[in-house]
Amino acid sequence: MIQVVILGAGNVATHLYKAFQQSENIEVIQVYNHKPERLINFPETSTTTAISKLKEAHIYIFALKDDAILKMANIVPDFGSLYLHTSGGIGLDALSNFRNHGVFYPLQTFSAKREVDFAEIPMCLEANSDKNLQKTKELAAGISEKLFETDSGQRKALHASAVFVCNFTNYLYTIGADICQKHDLSFELLKPLIKETAAKIEELSPEEAQTGPAIRNDRGTIEGHLELLDKNQKNIYELLTASIYNLHGKKL
Amino acid sequence: MIQVVILGAGNVATHLYKAFQQSENIEVIQVYNHKPERLINFPETSTTTAISKLKEAHIYIFALKDDAILKMANIVPDFGSLYLHTSGGIGLDALSNFRNHGVFYPLQTFSAKREVDFAEIPMCLEANSDKNLQKTKELAAGISEKLFETDSGQRKALHASAVFVCNFTNYLYTIGADICQKHDLSFELLKPLIKETAAKIEELSPEEAQTGPAIRNDRGTIEGHLELLDKNQKNIYELLTASIYNLHGKKL
């Protein structure tokens, strides 16, 4: 049985906790958070708000925001255990205070209100030795079927990619919703399209899947759209249209 | 039985044809296309490349590109039937040559290689009279459960929204794939994230679902990402980051 202490009580910590609880060979023996109010999300487990009361465990997981990971790395004691963080944004060396350290990055977007199936989540793993990587893999295998070794440079690239395909994409949904609202249209109308756009890339590469007026620089349609956008939306529309035309238009 | 002639043999025409074939009260009696080679996709139905050989039908559907709709509207004879086009980009008046005319716009992205479930596709409908709208609705009800009346202004707004949530989103996927490829990472890694980002909006509004470094203008992470992007990707990253921060950051 792998004994784990989780540091943090936000979305990543909560979802990881639930996944560990369902695993047969992982036991979360404690959850730490500096604020007590979020610890009520872990009723079945011992919790603490004091670093001095951390239990000894095989693995400590820093499921915290980037700046909190860096800060906590200076105050958590080194019991000789394995110390992992869950961030896509910072390097392996963020935990180099600890003899045994690594990264345990689940490449997914987590919201408090939505359940996720960890089995499908790519776990991007790295550690400071083969032995520690092996332990990190064992932990990941307890919750996911998709394990990937990625170095800190690759993880940074993945994190940047994730900003495009998740954060920026969600912002484009926000613009779609805004245009609908301004024209007395339900955002429901766009949902099947959003779903299919994402589903398409299971079968087609994004390059193959590209459609729309930008490919052929269809000025009549494009000008018509620009007329009904606000200034910021117009800037985004023009930049992305030019980018798509530069990539695809020349091949027509 | 509603008898239909389809003008066009591209993705929209082909998918509509398949949906009509599965409907009990719709019969496609002919498919027209000016080039014969694409008509092999309609083996069970009479086809023609000559406008002069168009059969008489209850409804004619212009499932063509916008410029082809405008051109064909001048040469197809008016049999007194109902004439509909499938475009989000042009107005009802594109078919005003015909006494009875309307719009039959399926709000979805169609690719040759992917099957779609028409029952889930929002059908955006408009016509030049109540009677013609009623007929247009009857036709749409044969293939979809989601019928919406939208005027030409609303349809144009929907089309612009669709460019953001589909065409531009797909282009962001292309950037994600490009970054992965440059760092020796499989695009497979991003697919669960893409799927979840789209699935989230079934439960959360896009505004609620927004995550990422842009919200809090996390400069450390942002600068790290900018370093590994090419010039065009950098422009897009900066514009979208500023837009997200303007919308969300001020609320923090």
Side-chain angles (χ1 to χ4, degrees):
Chain A
M1 189 68 97
I2 309 173
Q3 295 188 322
V4 171
V5 168
I6 296 177
L7 302 149
N11 288 334
V12 175
T14 310
H15 285 288
L16 262 184
Y17 175 78
K18 283 182 194 161
F20 286 149
Q21 291 288 87
Q22 283 161 29
S23 169
E24 284 175 12
N25 58 339
I26 302 168
E27 186 192 6
V28 180
I29 60 167
Q30 194 179 36
V31 179
Y32 161 89
N33 199 52
H34 74 297
K35 288 186 188 164
E37 55 272 25
R38 299 199 80 171
L39 289 170
I40 54 164
N41 292 332
F42 309 89
E44 292 163 33
T45 301
S46 162
T47 60
T48 183
T49 57
I51 293 293
S52 61
K53 298 225 171 111
L54 282 182
K55 293 188 182 177
E56 283 206 41
H58 300 115
I59 299 181
Y60 294 80
I61 300 183
F62 292 72
L64 298 159
K65 287 184 185 159
D66 293 358
D67 52 352
I69 294 171
L70 299 170
K71 200 177 119 194
M72 292 288 286
N74 288 317
I75 45 180
V76 169
D78 189 351
F79 297 110
S81 311
L82 178 59
Y83 294 76
L84 305 173
H85 75 68
T86 60
S87 170
I90 58 179
L92 172 67
D93 57 3
L95 297 183
S96 58
N97 280 356
F98 304 99
R99 205 172 345 145
N100 303 302
H101 58 279
V103 182
F104 191 79
Y105 171 47
L107 183 54
Q108 190 50 283
T109 172
F110 298 99
S111 298
K113 295 184 199 165
R114 262 184 77 80
E115 295 300 316
V116 291
D117 177 10
F118 250 91
E120 292 295 313
I121 297 179
M123 297 300 304
C124 304
L125 310 174
E126 186 180 9
N128 72 325
S129 73
D130 286 348
K131 198 178 138 205
N132 289 333
L133 183 62
Q134 195 48 45
K135 284 186 188 171
T136 308
K137 279 185 183 172
E138 275 167 34
L139 184 71
I143 55 174
S144 171
E145 290 158 13
K146 298 187 173 178
L147 312 190
F148 296 86
E149 281 178 52
T150 50
D151 65 31
S152 291
Q154 287 179 313
R155 204 172 51 255
K156 187 171 158 187
L158 273 177
H159 195 236
S161 303
V163 168
F164 281 94
V165 305
C166 171
N167 306 154
F168 291 167
T169 288
N170 184 73
Y171 181 68
L172 297 183
Y173 299 163
T174 311
I175 294 179
D178 178 66
I179 298 171
C180 282
Q181 197 237 314
K182 283 177 182 157
H183 290 84
D184 202 18
L185 292 159
S186 165
F187 182 58
E188 289 300 315
L189 273 157
L190 294 180
K191 289 185 178 177
L193 179 61
I194 286 173
K195 219 164 137 186
E196 172 67 8
T197 303
K200 258 188 174 183
I201 53 140
E202 292 290 339
E203 290 178 35
L204 305 172
S205 75
E207 274 201 60
E208 287 173 318
Q210 190 66 55
T211 55
I215 297 183
R216 47 186 189 281
N217 197 27
D218 172 354
R219 293 314 305 179
T221 302
I222 291 167
E223 298 298 336
H225 290 168
L226 290 172
E227 278 168 23
L228 50 83
L229 302 177
D230 69 28
K231 189 163 170 294
N232 187 50
Q233 290 166 352
K234 212 176 276 188
N235 289 339
I236 294 168
Y237 191 105
E238 283 177 333
L239 180 57
L240 291 174
T241 292
S243 303
I244 292 172
Y245 182 68
N246 280 335
L247 181 64
H248 289 272
K250 292 167 185 165
K251 295 179 217 151
L252 291 183
Chain B
M1 188 68 96
I2 308 173
Q3 294 187 324
V4 170
V5 168
I6 297 177
L7 302 147
N11 288 333
V12 176
T14 310
H15 285 288
L16 262 184
Y17 174 79
K18 283 183 194 160
F20 286 149
Q21 291 288 86
Q22 282 161 30
S23 168
E24 283 174 13
N25 59 340
I26 302 168
E27 185 192 6
V28 179
I29 60 166
Q30 193 180 37
V31 178
Y32 160 89
N33 199 50
H34 74 298
K35 286 184 189 166
E37 55 272 24
R38 299 198 80 170
L39 289 170
I40 54 165
N41 293 331
F42 309 90
E44 293 163 32
T45 300
S46 162
T47 60
T48 183
T49 57
I51 293 293
S52 61
K53 297 224 172 112
L54 283 182
K55 292 187 182 180
E56 284 205 40
H58 300 115
I59 300 182
Y60 293 80
I61 300 183
F62 292 71
L64 297 158
K65 288 184 182 157
D66 293 358
D67 52 352
I69 293 172
L70 299 170
K71 200 178 119 194
M72 292 288 287
N74 288 315
I75 45 180
V76 169
D78 189 351
F79 296 110
S81 311
L82 177 59
Y83 294 76
L84 305 174
H85 75 67
T86 60
S87 169
I90 58 178
L92 172 67
D93 57 4
L95 297 183
S96 59
N97 280 358
F98 303 98
R99 205 172 344 144
N100 303 302
H101 59 279
V103 182
F104 191 79
Y105 171 47
L107 183 53
Q108 189 50 282
T109 172
F110 298 100
S111 297
K113 294 185 199 166
R114 262 186 76 82
E115 296 300 316
V116 290
D117 177 10
F118 250 90
E120 292 297 313
I121 297 179
M123 297 298 305
C124 304
L125 310 174
E126 186 180 8
N128 72 325
S129 73
D130 286 348
K131 197 178 138 205
N132 289 332
L133 183 62
Q134 195 47 45
K135 283 186 187 172
T136 307
K137 280 185 182 172
E138 276 168 33
L139 183 71
I143 56 173
S144 171
E145 290 157 13
K146 299 187 172 177
L147 312 191
F148 296 87
E149 281 177 52
T150 50
D151 64 32
S152 291
Q154 286 178 314
R155 203 171 53 255
K156 187 171 157 186
L158 274 176
H159 195 236
S161 304
V163 167
F164 280 93
V165 305
C166 171
N167 305 154
F168 291 167
T169 288
N170 183 73
Y171 181 68
L172 297 183
Y173 300 163
T174 311
I175 294 178
D178 178 66
I179 298 171
C180 282
Q181 195 236 316
K182 283 177 182 157
H183 290 84
D184 203 18
L185 293 158
S186 165
F187 182 57
E188 288 301 315
L189 273 157
L190 294 180
K191 288 184 178 177
L193 179 61
I194 286 172
K195 219 164 136 185
E196 173 67 9
T197 303
K200 258 188 174 182
I201 53 140
E202 292 290 339
E203 290 179 33
L204 305 172
S205 76
E207 274 201 58
E208 288 172 317
Q210 190 67 55
T211 55
I215 295 183
R216 46 185 190 283
N217 198 26
D218 172 352
R219 293 314 303 178
T221 303
I222 291 167
E223 298 299 335
H225 290 168
L226 290 173
E227 277 167 23
L228 51 83
L229 302 178
D230 69 27
K231 190 164 171 290
N232 186 50
Q233 290 165 353
K234 211 176 276 186
N235 289 339
I236 294 167
Y237 191 106
E238 285 178 330
L239 179 57
L240 292 174
T241 292
S243 303
I244 292 171
Y245 182 68
N246 281 336
L247 180 63
H248 289 272
K250 291 167 186 165
K251 294 179 217 151
L252 290 183

